[in-house]
Amino acid sequence: MNITEDDSVIEEVLNGNVNAFGLIVKKYQRPIFNLMLRVVGSEDKAADLAQETFIRAYEKLDLFRPGNKFFSWLYAIGMNLARDSIRKKKIFYVLDEDRDAGLSDRVDEKKVNPYEERIEMVHLHFALKQLPLKEKEAIILRFREGLSMKEISVALEISVSGAKMRVHRGLKKLRDLLSEEER
Protein backbone atom coordinates (compact mmCIF):
# COMPACT_ATOMS: atom_id res chain seq x y z
CA MET A 1 0.00 0.00 0.00
CA ASN A 2 1.23 3.44 -0.90
CA ILE A 3 1.15 5.68 2.18
CA THR A 4 0.58 9.28 1.16
CA GLU A 5 1.19 12.49 3.07
CA ASP A 6 -2.57 12.68 3.70
CA ASP A 7 -2.57 9.13 5.07
CA SER A 8 0.20 10.06 7.52
CA VAL A 9 -1.67 13.14 8.74
CA ILE A 10 -4.90 11.16 9.09
CA GLU A 11 -3.09 8.52 11.10
CA GLU A 12 -1.78 11.26 13.40
CA VAL A 13 -5.29 12.61 13.90
CA LEU A 14 -6.67 9.15 14.61
CA ASN A 15 -3.87 8.61 17.15
CA GLY A 16 -4.97 11.68 19.09
CA ASN A 17 -3.19 14.64 17.50
CA VAL A 18 -6.34 16.65 16.81
CA ASN A 19 -4.33 19.69 15.67
CA ALA A 20 -2.94 17.71 12.73
CA PHE A 21 -6.37 17.94 11.07
CA GLY A 22 -5.58 21.62 10.52
CA LEU A 23 -3.06 20.52 7.88
CA ILE A 24 -5.86 18.77 6.00
CA VAL A 25 -8.09 21.83 6.26
CA LYS A 26 -5.31 24.13 5.09
CA LYS A 27 -4.51 21.91 2.11
CA TYR A 28 -8.09 21.44 0.90
CA GLN A 29 -10.03 24.48 2.11
CA ARG A 30 -9.74 26.41 -1.16
CA PRO A 31 -10.83 23.56 -3.50
CA ILE A 32 -13.73 22.62 -1.22
CA PHE A 33 -14.84 26.25 -0.84
CA ASN A 34 -14.66 26.73 -4.63
CA LEU A 35 -16.72 23.58 -5.15
CA MET A 36 -19.38 24.85 -2.76
CA LEU A 37 -19.35 28.28 -4.34
CA ARG A 38 -19.92 26.76 -7.79
CA VAL A 39 -22.79 24.73 -6.41
CA VAL A 40 -24.67 27.31 -4.33
CA GLY A 41 -23.49 30.61 -5.81
CA SER A 42 -23.30 32.37 -2.43
CA GLU A 43 -20.01 32.97 -0.64
CA ASP A 44 -21.66 32.84 2.80
CA LYS A 45 -23.47 29.58 2.07
CA ALA A 46 -20.34 28.16 0.42
CA ALA A 47 -18.28 28.96 3.54
CA ASP A 48 -20.88 27.26 5.74
CA LEU A 49 -20.98 24.17 3.54
CA ALA A 50 -17.18 23.98 3.33
CA GLN A 51 -16.95 24.18 7.12
CA GLU A 52 -19.61 21.48 7.46
CA THR A 53 -17.68 19.31 5.00
CA PHE A 54 -14.57 19.43 7.19
CA ILE A 55 -16.59 18.80 10.35
CA ARG A 56 -18.20 15.73 8.78
CA ALA A 57 -14.86 14.52 7.45
CA TYR A 58 -13.33 14.86 10.92
CA GLU A 59 -16.23 13.00 12.54
CA LYS A 60 -16.00 10.16 9.99
CA LEU A 61 -12.23 10.10 9.57
CA ASP A 62 -12.04 6.55 10.92
CA LEU A 63 -14.09 5.43 7.88
CA PHE A 64 -11.48 6.69 5.40
CA ARG A 65 -9.44 3.86 3.88
CA PRO A 66 -5.72 4.67 3.64
CA GLY A 67 -4.37 4.20 0.14
CA ASN A 68 -7.40 5.87 -1.43
CA LYS A 69 -7.18 9.48 -2.54
CA PHE A 70 -8.34 11.63 0.36
CA PHE A 71 -9.55 14.48 -1.84
CA SER A 72 -12.00 12.16 -3.61
CA TRP A 73 -13.41 11.05 -0.25
CA LEU A 74 -13.63 14.63 1.01
CA TYR A 75 -15.21 15.75 -2.26
CA ALA A 76 -17.90 13.07 -1.91
CA ILE A 77 -18.76 14.35 1.56
CA GLY A 78 -18.91 17.92 0.26
CA MET A 79 -21.03 17.05 -2.78
CA ASN A 80 -23.51 15.15 -0.61
CA LEU A 81 -23.87 18.21 1.61
CA ALA A 82 -24.21 20.46 -1.43
CA ARG A 83 -26.87 18.21 -2.98
CA ASP A 84 -28.80 18.23 0.30
CA SER A 85 -28.59 22.02 0.32
CA ILE A 86 -29.89 22.18 -3.25
CA ARG A 87 -32.79 19.87 -2.44
CA LYS A 88 -33.71 21.82 0.70
CA LYS A 89 -33.39 25.32 -0.74
CA LYS A 90 -33.94 24.70 -4.45
CA ILE A 91 -30.60 26.38 -5.12
CA PHE A 92 -29.31 26.08 -8.67
CA TYR A 93 -25.82 24.88 -9.53
CA VAL A 94 -23.84 27.76 -10.99
CA LEU A 95 -20.36 28.36 -12.29
CA ASP A 96 -18.59 31.61 -11.60
CA GLU A 97 -16.64 32.64 -14.68
CA ASP A 98 -13.86 34.40 -12.79
CA ARG A 99 -13.32 31.58 -10.31
CA ASP A 100 -13.41 28.93 -13.01
CA ALA A 101 -11.03 30.82 -15.27
CA GLY A 102 -8.48 28.18 -14.20
CA LEU A 103 -10.05 25.93 -16.83
CA SER A 104 -8.18 27.95 -19.42
CA ASP A 105 -4.92 28.35 -17.51
CA ARG A 106 -3.34 25.59 -19.57
CA VAL A 107 -3.85 27.36 -22.91
CA ASP A 108 -0.69 28.64 -24.56
CA GLU A 109 -1.28 32.39 -24.92
CA LYS A 110 1.18 32.62 -27.83
CA LYS A 111 -1.09 30.46 -29.94
CA VAL A 112 -4.42 32.03 -28.97
CA ASN A 113 -5.50 35.65 -28.98
CA PRO A 114 -6.41 36.42 -25.31
CA TYR A 115 -9.59 38.19 -26.44
CA GLU A 116 -10.68 35.16 -28.49
CA GLU A 117 -9.76 32.87 -25.60
CA ARG A 118 -11.96 34.89 -23.23
CA ILE A 119 -14.88 34.71 -25.66
CA GLU A 120 -14.41 30.95 -25.94
CA MET A 121 -14.34 30.65 -22.14
CA VAL A 122 -17.59 32.61 -21.84
CA HIS A 123 -19.18 30.22 -24.35
CA LEU A 124 -17.82 27.24 -22.43
CA HIS A 125 -19.14 28.55 -19.10
CA PHE A 126 -22.53 29.23 -20.65
CA ALA A 127 -22.64 25.68 -22.00
CA LEU A 128 -21.49 24.20 -18.66
CA LYS A 129 -24.31 26.02 -16.88
CA GLN A 130 -26.78 24.22 -19.12
CA LEU A 131 -25.52 20.71 -18.31
CA PRO A 132 -27.38 18.57 -15.80
CA LEU A 133 -25.73 18.53 -12.35
CA LYS A 134 -24.50 14.91 -12.61
CA GLU A 135 -22.66 15.51 -15.86
CA LYS A 136 -21.40 18.93 -14.80
CA GLU A 137 -19.86 17.39 -11.66
CA ALA A 138 -18.09 14.72 -13.67
CA ILE A 139 -16.73 17.22 -16.21
CA ILE A 140 -15.43 19.55 -13.49
CA LEU A 141 -13.80 16.70 -11.57
CA ARG A 142 -12.11 15.36 -14.69
CA PHE A 143 -10.92 18.54 -16.35
CA ARG A 144 -10.71 21.15 -13.60
CA GLU A 145 -9.63 18.96 -10.69
CA GLY A 146 -7.71 16.46 -12.85
CA LEU A 147 -9.14 13.35 -11.19
CA SER A 148 -8.91 9.91 -12.77
CA MET A 149 -12.05 7.97 -13.62
CA LYS A 150 -11.54 5.81 -10.53
CA GLU A 151 -11.24 8.91 -8.34
CA ILE A 152 -14.35 10.40 -9.94
CA SER A 153 -16.23 7.19 -9.25
CA VAL A 154 -15.24 7.40 -5.57
CA ALA A 155 -16.11 11.09 -5.31
CA LEU A 156 -19.52 10.65 -6.94
CA GLU A 157 -20.14 7.25 -5.34
CA ILE A 158 -20.73 5.52 -8.66
CA SER A 159 -18.96 2.79 -10.63
CA VAL A 160 -15.95 3.54 -12.81
CA SER A 161 -18.03 2.80 -15.90
CA GLY A 162 -20.69 5.20 -14.56
CA ALA A 163 -18.02 7.89 -14.19
CA LYS A 164 -16.81 7.28 -17.75
CA MET A 165 -20.38 7.48 -19.01
CA ARG A 166 -21.07 10.77 -17.21
CA VAL A 167 -17.90 12.35 -18.55
CA HIS A 168 -18.62 11.03 -22.06
CA ARG A 169 -22.24 12.26 -22.00
CA GLY A 170 -21.20 15.59 -20.53
CA LEU A 171 -18.59 16.14 -23.23
CA LYS A 172 -21.04 15.19 -25.95
CA LYS A 173 -23.64 17.63 -24.60
CA LEU A 174 -20.98 20.33 -24.29
CA ARG A 175 -19.92 19.80 -27.90
CA ASP A 176 -23.54 19.95 -29.04
CA LEU A 177 -24.21 23.12 -27.04
CA LEU A 178 -21.04 24.80 -28.30
CA SER A 179 -21.75 23.88 -31.92
CA GLU A 180 -25.30 25.28 -31.53
CA GLU A 181 -23.83 28.57 -30.30
CA GLU A 182 -21.56 28.83 -33.34
CA ARG A 183 -24.54 28.68 -35.67
Side-chain angles (χ1 to χ4, degrees):
M1 173 174 30
N2 182 16
I3 303 294
T4 66
E5 181 182 323
D6 288 345
D7 292 339
S8 298
V9 172
I10 291 165
E11 187 176 332
E12 276 189 58
V13 174
L14 293 174
N15 288 330
N17 183 356
V18 182
N19 295 328
F21 195 73
L23 298 171
I24 295 289
V25 173
K26 186 176 181 179
K27 181 175 181 179
Y28 294 112
Q29 67 186 356
R30 175 58 80 199
I32 294 298
F33 173 79
N34 286 339
L35 163 70
M36 296 304 158
L37 187 58
R38 287 190 307 269
V39 173
V40 298
S42 158
E43 288 192 16
D44 291 338
K45 185 66 178 168
D48 290 344
L49 286 169
Q51 182 177 10
E52 182 64 24
T53 299
F54 287 107
I55 291 169
R56 292 261 176 100
Y58 180 78
E59 292 171 347
K60 298 176 186 249
L61 200 56
D62 59 325
L63 299 176
F64 175 72
R65 289 182 296 220
N68 290 336
K69 190 165 183 181
F70 182 76
F71 181 72
S72 299
W73 185 77
L74 185 64
Y75 185 95
I77 292 171
M79 266 323 292
N80 287 333
L81 287 168
R83 285 185 196 114
D84 289 346
S85 177
I86 290 170
R87 278 187 221 110
K88 289 177 188 170
K89 305 276 186 194
K90 302 293 185 210
I91 297 171
F92 294 98
Y93 192 96
V94 296
L95 283 170
D96 180 68
E97 291 175 15
D98 293 329
R99 283 187 176 77
D100 283 338
L103 285 171
S104 66
D105 286 346
R106 296 177 209 112
V107 176
D108 184 352
E109 290 185 21
K110 294 175 190 168
K111 295 180 183 176
V112 179
N113 177 327
Y115 177 73
E116 289 174 6
E117 177 186 342
R118 183 69 184 153
I119 290 172
E120 288 175 14
M121 289 308 299
V122 168
H123 290 293
L124 177 60
H125 288 292
F126 179 75
L128 275 169
K129 287 179 185 181
Q130 296 179 60
L131 288 181
L133 177 60
K134 290 180 178 183
E135 291 156 358
K136 192 179 312 185
E137 288 174 336
I139 294 291
I140 289 170
L141 286 174
R142 181 72 179 124
F143 298 103
R144 178 166 168 73
E145 302 299 334
L147 298 184
S148 69
M149 291 299 173
K150 182 174 190 229
E151 292 164 343
I152 293 170
S153 74
V154 170
L156 299 179
E157 299 175 333
I158 58 176
S159 68
V160 173
S161 63
K164 289 177 183 177
M165 186 59 71
R166 284 191 190 175
V167 169
H168 175 74
R169 285 182 185 154
L171 287 173
K172 182 178 180 341
K173 287 180 182 177
L174 270 178
R175 282 187 205 105
D176 292 346
L177 288 166
L178 290 170
S179 67
E180 276 180 30
E181 278 185 37
E182 288 179 10
R183 290 182 208 143

